[in-house]
Amino acid sequence: MNNIKDVARLAGVSASTVSRALSDKACVSDETRERIRQAAAELNYSPNVIAKSLKMGRTNTIALLLPSIRNHIFPEIASGVEDEARRCGVTVILCNTDEDERIEKEYLAKLRAQWVDGVIVSTMKPGSDHIRKLRDEGFPIVLTSRYYGDDGFDAVAVDNFGAARGAVDYLIKRGHKRIAVALGSGELNIYKDRFRGYRQALTDNGLAFDEALVLHDSGAADDLYFKVQTLFSFGPAPDALFATNDPKAIIALRAIRDVGLRVPQDVSVLGFDNIELSAMLEPPLTTVSQPFYQMGALAMKKLLCQIEAKEAGKPYRPRVNLMDTELIIRKSTR
Amino acid sequence: MNNIKDVARLAGVSASTVSRALSDKACVSDETRERIRQAAAELNYSPNVIAKSLKMGRTNTIALLLPSIRNHIFPEIASGVEDEARRCGVTVILCNTDEDERIEKEYLAKLRAQWVDGVIVSTMKPGSDHIRKLRDEGFPIVLTSRYYGDDGFDAVAVDNFGAARGAVDYLIKRGHKRIAVALGSGELNIYKDRFRGYRQALTDNGLAFDEALVLHDSGAADDLYFKVQTLFSFGPAPDALFATNDPKAIIALRAIRDVGLRVPQDVSVLGFDNIELSAMLEPPLTTVSQPFYQMGALAMKKLLCQIEAKEAGKPYRPRVNLMDTELIIRKSTR
DNA sequence: AAAGTGCATACAAACGATTGCACTCGGAGG
DNA sequence: CCTCCGAGTGCAATCGTTTGTATGCACTTT
């Protein structure tokens, strides 16, 4: 690989002039600049990014911390982040934590070490104090999707409470009275909020909350499948089910069909997230759509603002951006 | 951020001693080493990776070039790459080209500039001369999934020809005689190979090839859907369809059902790739499974070998590893 | 007692870029 | 004729590491 000195030698100037010429600074005569350009082209020269980063104290790289890239929603977020990043000349490092806090810490330790200018975090949990600590050190961070409103993080998310409330309200307005709910991991606020929305919709419409209709998530593989089967096989079956995310809705769909009930004629099923797959099911799933791609892109924009503010020594006021969700009505609800 | 000199000052030694102590070199007394450790801990010091990379000429970072992270199979590959990378202390940069050669070139230009030690490429096409050029410069590269056997690349892939042949042979053995085929982009060898496998299976079993049963891919959104509907609505309907990837199988499933035929009673549908979703369909899809995760992990291992060989100045003999596929028999074939 | 040995440590030169400062040089103004 | 100016360029320091070489010192060896 050729370096700046090789170019300088070939063009018959000093390295500093090459640097100035190629980064379009003033103070270089047109004739010299052209000569340098040609020399650089001839040597197939491109500046060493590592050296530049060291000198400039900025890598133009950011990291995206994801719980799992196989989780359907995260590739969409990642897409948005990446496209926006490319537009801004920023590279993205993908960090997959597999929901494992040890791995997350490992990554963050690396990131602190001048790896990246900032980080977008989708792995926030109530106990993620190491992330708070990093933020307190002045490290630029934007949360996406999973956030906790109360602690002054910069974040992009949706109003899970409102969206769930609206969706369940829709079910009730269409005549459903016994609505089961499949919960997600109780650790995550997004699921707690969706559950709160569910309860609020019941209250709004004068329906009683029934603990027997709540399916808790154990995380185990077929657990939800059997719970749904049990719920719909014995006693008075619910006339609808609200799954707090689409994968759960898909499992529920299968379980309900497998006990001999029809969707939507006997039971309506409502999902959350609108993953690509949900439109391809039989029947296609009614669900709440989140603008994941746009959330990723916005998170990237905000992160860049933070980085620039930090560089310029200006203050930056973090805020939470709540994006609009949309209830996508398909064929799984009647 | 504290640097090595701060640690040196606090511990009352020189920077070089700190460096040696922390990287567990010999020639540092235990007492000094301990003092340095404590100083480092006290200052919350971690070595600046950028500076280290510059000095060492190695970043311990590799890039993964993907056509699209939203494509189901790539997150699996990426997972394998990442897990293996983490095990080896390597970081992965994710580069999403969106099948756009301009973006790909942009990335590769960056990568050349000492960004990364090597790259895993899933975007190879017959016309990808810029990738060949990079290889010829001595840049460590491993191809995954998409490869072209003839040009001496290091690669991890499956025997698409053999797998397709075996799968279609299975259909024929189960009594199917008129088997349609839904092709993928003709530009990519993987689809050409699967098509060759299909034809070979016909020949093996003494069946005639019928051009009328071939559905070409235009790439347009609903194109395949309508082509399948047309094929199954007029004239003698095929009794089976081999889709050269699962998303096409899913579309075909829908189209076939929508013209009033039942899968698998009237028509068998066979996919390729075994994406997660294929098990969740109604009926669950019979398909050829590729070990994507393992392919990613192996590609990472091979890349590391290449990098190490290059560093040590040793020769490295690239070879193509073909992994085993498996025909997963579910309910979409009778 | 002089020389040799080996360990622990410090010094300084890289790695490849950027940039403040100093220098040169031709022309304008006093 | 001297000074001043500004444009164009070069020198050298710097970013934070690693590492080859030199140094100092306490011992042993002859």
Side-chain angles (χ1 to χ4, degrees), chain A residues 3-4 16 19 45 48:
Chain A
N3 63 26
I4 200 169
S16 33
S19 170
Y45 167 75
N48 181 318

Short mmCIF file of all heavy atoms in Angstrom, two decimals, chain A residues 3-4 16 19 45 48, chain C residues 16-21:
data_model
loop_
_atom_site.label_atom_id
_atom_site.label_comp_id
_atom_site.label_asym_id
_atom_site.label_seq_id
_atom_site.Cartn_x
_atom_site.Cartn_y
_atom_site.Cartn_z
N ASN A 3 1.61 5.21 0.68
CA ASN A 3 1.16 6.21 1.64
C ASN A 3 1.40 7.63 1.12
O ASN A 3 1.87 7.82 0.00
CB ASN A 3 1.82 5.99 3.00
CG ASN A 3 3.32 6.17 2.94
OD1 ASN A 3 3.83 6.89 2.09
ND2 ASN A 3 4.01 5.52 3.84
N ILE A 4 1.09 8.57 1.96
CA ILE A 4 1.11 9.97 1.52
C ILE A 4 2.50 10.40 1.06
O ILE A 4 2.64 11.23 0.17
CB ILE A 4 0.57 10.88 2.65
CG1 ILE A 4 0.11 12.21 2.07
CG2 ILE A 4 1.58 11.04 3.76
CD1 ILE A 4 -0.65 13.05 3.05
N SER A 16 2.81 17.37 3.50
CA SER A 16 1.77 18.29 3.96
C SER A 16 1.00 18.89 2.79
O SER A 16 -0.21 19.06 2.86
CB SER A 16 2.36 19.40 4.82
OG SER A 16 3.65 19.74 4.38
N SER A 19 -1.51 16.38 1.60
CA SER A 19 -2.65 16.34 2.50
C SER A 19 -3.60 17.49 2.21
O SER A 19 -4.80 17.31 2.05
CB SER A 19 -2.16 16.42 3.95
OG SER A 19 -3.23 16.60 4.83
N TYR A 45 -3.66 5.56 -4.60
CA TYR A 45 -3.53 5.94 -3.20
C TYR A 45 -4.88 6.21 -2.55
O TYR A 45 -5.73 6.86 -3.14
CB TYR A 45 -2.67 7.20 -3.09
CG TYR A 45 -2.71 7.86 -1.74
CD1 TYR A 45 -2.02 7.32 -0.66
CD2 TYR A 45 -3.43 9.04 -1.54
CE1 TYR A 45 -2.06 7.93 0.58
CE2 TYR A 45 -3.46 9.66 -0.30
CZ TYR A 45 -2.78 9.10 0.75
OH TYR A 45 -2.81 9.71 1.98
N ASN A 48 -4.85 6.47 4.68
CA ASN A 48 -5.01 5.47 5.72
C ASN A 48 -5.95 5.99 6.80
O ASN A 48 -5.64 6.92 7.53
CB ASN A 48 -3.63 5.16 6.31
CG ASN A 48 -3.70 4.10 7.38
OD1 ASN A 48 -4.60 4.11 8.20
ND2 ASN A 48 -2.75 3.19 7.34
P DG C 16 2.99 3.27 7.24
OP1 DG C 16 2.43 2.21 6.40
OP2 DG C 16 4.36 3.77 7.02
"O5'" DG C 16 2.02 4.52 7.20
"C5'" DG C 16 0.62 4.32 7.33
"C4'" DG C 16 -0.04 5.66 7.50
"O4'" DG C 16 0.46 6.28 8.72
"C3'" DG C 16 0.28 6.67 6.38
"O3'" DG C 16 -0.95 7.23 5.99
"C2'" DG C 16 1.18 7.69 7.05
"C1'" DG C 16 0.67 7.65 8.47
N9 DG C 16 1.59 8.13 9.48
C8 DG C 16 2.96 8.08 9.44
N7 DG C 16 3.52 8.60 10.50
C5 DG C 16 2.45 9.01 11.29
C6 DG C 16 2.43 9.64 12.56
O6 DG C 16 3.38 9.98 13.26
N1 DG C 16 1.13 9.88 13.01
C2 DG C 16 -0.01 9.54 12.32
N2 DG C 16 -1.17 9.83 12.90
N3 DG C 16 0.00 8.95 11.12
C4 DG C 16 1.25 8.72 10.67
P DA C 17 -1.10 8.09 4.66
OP1 DA C 17 -2.21 7.53 3.91
OP2 DA C 17 0.21 8.26 4.04
"O5'" DA C 17 -1.48 9.52 5.27
"C5'" DA C 17 -2.81 9.88 5.45
"C4'" DA C 17 -3.03 10.49 6.80
"O4'" DA C 17 -1.91 10.21 7.64
"C3'" DA C 17 -3.14 12.01 6.79
"O3'" DA C 17 -4.52 12.32 6.65
"C2'" DA C 17 -2.66 12.40 8.18
"C1'" DA C 17 -1.84 11.20 8.65
N9 DA C 17 -0.44 11.49 8.88
C8 DA C 17 0.62 11.15 8.09
N7 DA C 17 1.80 11.49 8.59
C5 DA C 17 1.47 12.09 9.78
C6 DA C 17 2.25 12.67 10.80
N6 DA C 17 3.59 12.73 10.75
N1 DA C 17 1.61 13.20 11.86
C2 DA C 17 0.28 13.15 11.91
N3 DA C 17 -0.56 12.61 11.02
C4 DA C 17 0.10 12.10 9.97
P DT C 18 -4.92 13.82 6.23
OP1 DT C 18 -6.38 13.78 6.03
OP2 DT C 18 -4.02 14.26 5.15
"O5'" DT C 18 -4.60 14.68 7.52
"C5'" DT C 18 -5.46 14.59 8.64
"C4'" DT C 18 -5.01 15.61 9.66
"O4'" DT C 18 -3.60 15.42 9.95
"C3'" DT C 18 -5.16 17.07 9.22
"O3'" DT C 18 -5.75 17.73 10.34
"C2'" DT C 18 -3.73 17.53 8.95
"C1'" DT C 18 -2.94 16.68 9.92
N1 DT C 18 -1.52 16.37 9.57
C2 DT C 18 -0.53 16.66 10.49
O2 DT C 18 -0.76 17.21 11.56
N3 DT C 18 0.75 16.31 10.11
C4 DT C 18 1.11 15.69 8.94
O4 DT C 18 2.29 15.42 8.72
C5 DT C 18 0.04 15.41 8.02
C7 DT C 18 0.34 14.75 6.72
C6 DT C 18 -1.21 15.75 8.37
P DT C 19 -6.42 19.18 10.19
OP1 DT C 19 -7.54 19.22 11.13
OP2 DT C 19 -6.60 19.46 8.76
"O5'" DT C 19 -5.27 20.15 10.74
"C5'" DT C 19 -4.72 19.91 12.02
"C4'" DT C 19 -3.59 20.90 12.27
"O4'" DT C 19 -2.36 20.37 11.74
"C3'" DT C 19 -3.77 22.27 11.60
"O3'" DT C 19 -3.27 23.25 12.50
"C2'" DT C 19 -2.89 22.18 10.37
"C1'" DT C 19 -1.75 21.36 10.94
N1 DT C 19 -0.88 20.65 9.95
C2 DT C 19 0.42 20.34 10.33
O2 DT C 19 0.88 20.63 11.42
N3 DT C 19 1.14 19.68 9.38
C4 DT C 19 0.72 19.32 8.12
O4 DT C 19 1.47 18.72 7.36
C5 DT C 19 -0.64 19.67 7.80
C7 DT C 19 -1.19 19.32 6.45
C6 DT C 19 -1.37 20.31 8.72
P DG C 20 -4.05 24.64 12.60
OP1 DG C 20 -5.28 24.43 13.38
OP2 DG C 20 -4.10 25.25 11.26
"O5'" DG C 20 -3.02 25.48 13.50
"C5'" DG C 20 -2.53 24.92 14.72
"C4'" DG C 20 -1.10 25.36 14.96
"O4'" DG C 20 -0.22 24.63 14.07
"C3'" DG C 20 -0.82 26.83 14.71
"O3'" DG C 20 0.15 27.28 15.66
"C2'" DG C 20 -0.26 26.86 13.29
"C1'" DG C 20 0.50 25.55 13.24
N9 DG C 20 0.59 24.93 11.91
C8 DG C 20 -0.43 24.82 10.99
N7 DG C 20 -0.05 24.20 9.89
C5 DG C 20 1.28 23.88 10.11
C6 DG C 20 2.21 23.20 9.28
O6 DG C 20 2.03 22.73 8.15
N1 DG C 20 3.46 23.10 9.88
C2 DG C 20 3.77 23.58 11.14
N2 DG C 20 5.01 23.38 11.54
N3 DG C 20 2.91 24.21 11.93
C4 DG C 20 1.69 24.32 11.35
P DC C 21 0.56 28.81 15.75
OP1 DC C 21 0.79 29.10 17.18
OP2 DC C 21 -0.40 29.60 14.94
"O5'" DC C 21 1.97 28.83 15.01
"C5'" DC C 21 2.99 27.93 15.43
"C4'" DC C 21 4.13 27.99 14.44
"O4'" DC C 21 3.77 27.28 13.23
"C3'" DC C 21 4.54 29.41 14.01
"O3'" DC C 21 5.91 29.58 14.29
"C2'" DC C 21 4.22 29.45 12.51
"C1'" DC C 21 4.31 27.98 12.13
N1 DC C 21 3.51 27.60 10.93
C2 DC C 21 4.12 26.83 9.93
O2 DC C 21 5.30 26.50 10.06
N3 DC C 21 3.40 26.48 8.84
C4 DC C 21 2.12 26.86 8.73
N4 DC C 21 1.44 26.49 7.65
C5 DC C 21 1.48 27.64 9.75
C6 DC C 21 2.20 27.99 10.83
#
